[in-house]
Amino acid sequence: MTKRILQALKREAVDRPPFWLMRQAGRYLPEYREIRATAENFLDFCYTPEKALEVTLQPLRRYQMDAAILFSDILVIPDALGQSVAFRQGEGPVLEAITDDVGLDRLSLETFEAALEPVFEAIRRISAVLDDETALIGFAGAPWTVALYMIEGRGGTEGTNIRTWAATRAESFQRLMDILVEATTRYLVRQVSEGAEVLQLFDSWAGLLPEDQFQRWIIEPNRRIVEGVKAIHPDVPIIGFPRNAGVMYRAFADQTGVDGIGIDHTVPVSWAAKELQPICTVQGNLDNHLLLAGGEAMERAVQNILEVLSDGPFIFNLGHGVLPPTSPDHVGRVAEMIRNWNQS
Ligand code: 1CP
């Protein structure tokens, strides 16, 4: 049996659409909350290979997704570059914000890969236990999105500081993007060497930018990373996720060299079928709030996505991550609908 996700990313026919869910491991699962309580610091948790292995496998035991996603976080990159990163209970990430070139001077690529060894060990362990139908997805944040946390110091903002810096001191901001392109490329190359079979680049804050800046700070860095990773691992499929990119999804799919494109729930599936599927495998896009709501509204939405997108190259997913208060039963119902999907 070959792996459906790999088939879909090669645009080959599949017996049913493959699926996995962003944030499929996490707080909505009681077994996650239990093991999460054994570590105080979230990054320590990510850097403990046996715990990362266990939480990576938890959703697969319940729902048999077609892929496991490495349990880690996009903020391991600033941490490995030497920026201070902490996760406070119920508050999300808190970083010591970078405000100028002096802050950039402190970032170091020298010990970067050594700091990430525990992640590579987790990949080896996950890869060793997955069955021959389940693919392992590695990932990283794309430069703009990681830079947002590095400059704002936390989530839940409108990105005022990063947008001002990028617009008014573009040369200095380009330095940060160059560091992140280099770090992310090396990190993803190593993930594949250790056993990741698919990569996803999360550009969760791509939707903040106007067209010319979208070209420079979203398309161009994603394109350089895809090129750099494929120079070493030409066959590894890469999924881009420029969340909330609107009509710019089309330019992203055309110009970055990605094999797959993750779409958020605001993208009409008929538009994605017409504009994106001819170029790229489309991944998405159930509204995570409909997954939270459950019931008929959720089922109608799942049905519609399957009807419109499963004629072309397609991977079922959400438009953004599973929300912590989601009932595990709703996820079970979606998994069942996809597994029983049959167009005849
Ligand atoms: O308290 C906890 O238990 C931690 C919650 C948590 C989890 C489960 C965080 C903190 N990160 C993660 C895991 C995670 N993060 C995964 C792993 C596996 C999976 O998908 O099952 C992945 C792929 C991420 C990626 C990630 N982290 C993104 C990109 C995707 C997205 O959601 O847009 C982003 C933006 C982050 C930053 C981050 N890490 C954690 C939180 C709460 C946040 C968001 C902060 C914010 O902007 O509010």
Side-chain angles (χ1 to χ4, degrees):
M1 178 77 206
T2 42
K3 303 184 183 193
R4 289 186 186 89
I5 290 214
L6 300 180
Q7 290 180 301
L9 286 163
K10 282 193 264 183
R11 313 178 68 84
E12 292 171 4
V14 280
D15 57 351
R16 62 147 174 86
F19 79 105
W20 67 282
L21 304 178
M22 290 188 277
R23 290 277 170 96
Q24 62 190 22
R27 291 196 171 274
Y28 77 103
L29 291 176
E31 59 270 33
Y32 172 86
R33 295 196 295 270
E34 192 177 315
I35 181 168
R36 176 68 184 85
T38 65
E40 195 148 308
N41 179 323
F42 180 68
L43 277 182
D44 287 344
F45 183 58
C46 292
Y47 292 145
T48 308
E50 62 266 36
K51 289 184 181 171
L53 166 67
E54 171 58 22
V55 294
T56 298
L57 298 178
Q58 284 175 346
L60 302 175
R61 292 192 192 111
R62 282 181 183 252
Y63 311 113
Q64 297 84 45
M65 284 90 173
D66 295 289
I69 178 160
L70 163 70
F71 190 84
S72 181
D73 195 78
I74 64 166
L75 298 177
V76 297
I77 288 207
D79 181 60
L81 290 171
Q83 187 175 10
S84 143
V85 181
F87 284 83
R88 305 219 177 108
Q89 208 56 259
E91 213 191 305
V94 183
L95 295 81
E96 196 183 316
I98 295 177
T99 55
D100 54 21
D101 285 85
V102 179
L104 297 184
D105 291 339
R106 286 197 209 106
L107 301 173
S108 166
L109 276 160
E110 249 160 60
T111 52
F112 169 75
E113 275 186 72
L116 294 167
E117 278 306 327
V119 178
F120 304 135
E121 175 60 20
I123 292 175
R124 289 191 289 272
R125 292 188 190 202
I126 301 162
S127 171
V129 300
L130 289 185
D131 66 31
D132 61 7
E133 288 187 52
T134 312
L136 175 53
I137 302 175
F139 73 93
W144 170 261
T145 288
V146 173
L148 181 133
Y149 292 96
M150 293 174 81
I151 291 171
E152 302 298 333
R154 60 195 178 89
T157 73
E158 303 243 328
T160 305
N161 298 309
I162 188 177
R163 289 156 84 174
T164 303
W165 189 341
T168 61
R169 291 180 282 147
E171 242 171 77
S172 144
F173 189 70
Q174 183 71 56
R175 248 185 89 205
L176 173 57
M177 298 304 265
D178 289 345
I179 293 169
L180 289 172
V181 166
E182 171 71 24
T184 308
T185 304
R186 283 203 220 167
Y187 180 46
L188 292 175
V189 163
R190 269 300 293 284
Q191 290 191 28
V192 178
S193 304
E194 303 298 351
E197 300 169 279
V198 176
L199 298 172
Q200 177 153 319
L201 273 162
F202 288 90
D203 222 342
S204 305
W205 297 105
L208 293 175
L209 290 173
E211 183 181 1
D212 55 338
Q213 294 196 58
F214 188 93
Q215 191 70 40
R216 183 164 185 188
W217 309 125
I218 306 297
I219 291 182
E220 192 53 20
N222 277 279
R223 188 196 65 72
R224 286 170 63 196
I225 293 167
V226 170
E227 181 179 71
V229 172
K230 291 199 181 226
I232 310 289
H233 298 295
D235 296 328
V236 71
I238 303 178
I239 302 167
F241 178 52
R243 190 170 69 94
N244 290 350
V247 296
M248 293 305 285
Y249 272 110
R250 172 68 206 246
F252 185 98
D254 260 334
Q255 295 172 36
T256 55
V258 293
D259 304 275
I261 189 155
I263 55 173
D264 65 80
H265 73 265
T266 68
V267 179
V269 281
S270 55
W271 184 85
K274 184 159 161 272
E275 298 290 333
L276 302 177
Q277 276 185 324
I279 329 173
C280 250
T281 297
V282 168
Q283 172 176 283
N285 73 340
L286 179 68
D287 181 356
N288 57 359
H289 285 85
L290 284 174
L291 182 69
L292 175 69
E296 244 184 81
M298 173 187 86
E299 293 187 13
R300 269 198 311 274
V302 171
Q303 181 84 17
N304 182 52
I305 291 166
L306 287 167
E307 270 168 16
V308 178
L309 289 174
S310 66
D311 284 342
F314 172 55
I315 298 167
F316 186 94
N317 205 314
L318 304 176
H320 201 194
V322 180
L323 298 164
T326 301
S327 160
D329 294 342
H330 298 177
V331 178
R333 178 66 189 129
V334 170
E336 180 184 48
M337 286 181 74
I338 297 163
R339 223 172 282 110
N340 296 335
W341 175 254
N342 160 0
Q343 282 194 301
S344 58

